[in-house]
Amino acid sequence: MVKNSTISLLENHYEAIAACPLFRSLQRDELLSYLQSVPILLKNYQKHDFIAISGDPMEGIGIVVEGSALLTRENVLGQRVIMTELTQSSMFGEALLFTARPLWPATIKTTKPTTVLFIPLDSFIQTLPNCQYCQTKMLTNLLHDLSEKALTLTKKVHYLTLKGMREKIFAYLTDLYTMQQSTTLELPHSRQEMADALNVCRTALSRELGRLRDEHIIAIHGKTVHLQELDTILEYRF
């Protein structure tokens, strides 16, 4: 049972928790009733703290209540590859829910002070009194989220199959264009994070972005990119 102090914390962070895809369509009383029925854990982390390290036992599904983090893996050359960025209301660890050995497959490190809500695995498997309907909704949401993330992973694999730097950049910008539906894009990553996401060298990435700017294919101002030659870029639509 959740202590009163934890209930107060949940209420203070209610908006961020309720916005998590896991709790889509749940009413406030349903969500709070569920969270009060399971032994949840709220953890605070400083900037650059490790939330999880690859190979460690999993504590439960995590939800970023406040802050942000990067989920990364290292390739055989020791290079860090960003799998995804976790921001407020993001969920992680759900793919391990029904695995035989729930060990973290990747490392998660904060990029700013972060608070994470952990929900134990048993709370998704065991039937909770007065929460069966709520659990059914959550499992449906979980399947939807897994499908979306599988599609995202497929896109990342697409980046890796492209050999040229320009092709990788075009594919990346095309995905952002599809999501933001605008020729003026706001980049979600820093230059280094973008390089990690595309599995390329940051220096080479910056050099190619400079060429694209000089050729008037794109215009760059900080994290804002304007697509000047949209048809050329969209040749690498996934």
Side-chain angles (χ1 to χ4, degrees):
M1 187 64 69
V2 180
K3 296 180 180 179
N4 289 335
S5 59
T6 305
I7 294 175
S8 177
L9 285 172
L10 290 176
E11 292 177 341
N12 291 337
H13 294 296
Y14 174 78
E15 295 300 328
I17 296 172
C20 175
L22 181 64
F23 304 124
R24 187 185 300 110
S25 77
L26 264 66
Q27 299 299 316
R28 182 185 178 92
D29 57 342
E30 292 177 323
L31 176 52
L32 291 178
S33 176
Y34 171 77
L35 294 175
Q36 292 176 44
S37 301
V38 297
I40 61 172
L41 180 63
L42 276 167
K43 281 191 173 183
N44 295 313
Y45 300 89
Q46 298 302 313
K47 184 178 180 179
H48 300 318
D49 278 354
F50 288 99
I51 297 174
I53 298 177
S54 179
D56 282 356
M58 179 186 179
E59 295 180 293
I61 287 180
I63 298 171
V64 178
V65 173
E66 187 176 3
S68 63
L70 293 177
L71 189 151
T72 65
R73 296 195 68 174
E74 288 191 358
N75 60 23
V76 293
L77 300 177
Q79 298 170 321
R80 186 184 69 155
V81 178
I82 295 177
M83 305 300 292
T84 189
E85 181 180 17
L86 302 171
T87 56
Q88 182 173 288
S89 303
S90 294
M91 172 174 54
F92 58 91
E94 66 276 19
L96 304 176
L97 186 59
F98 299 109
T99 59
R101 299 181 65 233
L103 302 177
W104 291 112
T107 294
I108 304 174
K109 189 176 183 180
T110 63
T111 56
K112 62 175 67 173
T114 300
T115 301
V116 177
L117 169 68
F118 287 99
I119 304 177
L121 303 181
D122 288 346
S123 66
F124 293 89
I125 301 171
Q126 298 176 353
T127 300
L128 301 174
N130 303 318
C131 288
Q132 293 92 331
Y133 180 62
C134 178
Q135 284 181 296
T136 299
K137 281 185 178 180
M138 289 170 56
L139 288 173
T140 300
N141 292 338
L142 185 64
L143 289 172
H144 179 271
D145 184 75
L146 287 171
S147 297
E148 291 292 330
K149 288 185 175 178
L151 180 59
T152 299
L153 181 60
T154 302
K155 290 179 180 179
K156 289 185 179 294
V157 172
H158 177 53
Y159 298 156
L160 296 176
T161 62
L162 297 171
K163 295 181 179 181
M165 177 70 71
R166 181 164 297 204
E167 289 80 3
K168 290 176 183 285
I169 293 172
F170 284 173
Y172 176 85
L173 295 176
T174 294
D175 285 341
L176 291 181
Y177 171 76
T178 300
M179 290 187 291
Q180 298 182 22
Q181 289 295 299
S182 172
T183 54
T184 299
L185 306 176
E186 293 300 322
L187 299 180
H189 299 126
S190 67
R191 193 64 56 85
Q192 182 59 58
E193 291 167 353
M194 181 179 173
D196 290 340
L198 297 178
N199 196 31
V200 297
C201 170
R202 175 179 174 176
T203 302
L205 172 65
S206 296
R207 187 183 303 119
E208 188 61 32
L209 287 173
R211 291 194 187 102
L212 293 173
R213 179 197 58 218
D214 294 343
E215 294 173 23
H216 303 292
I217 295 175
I218 63 173
I220 309 176
H221 302 283
K223 281 195 170 186
T224 301
V225 176
H226 179 67
L227 308 182
Q228 296 174 295
E229 293 285 345
L230 183 61
D231 291 340
T232 299
I233 294 170
L234 293 184
E235 288 182 15
Y236 294 89
R237 184 189 298 271
F238 176 72

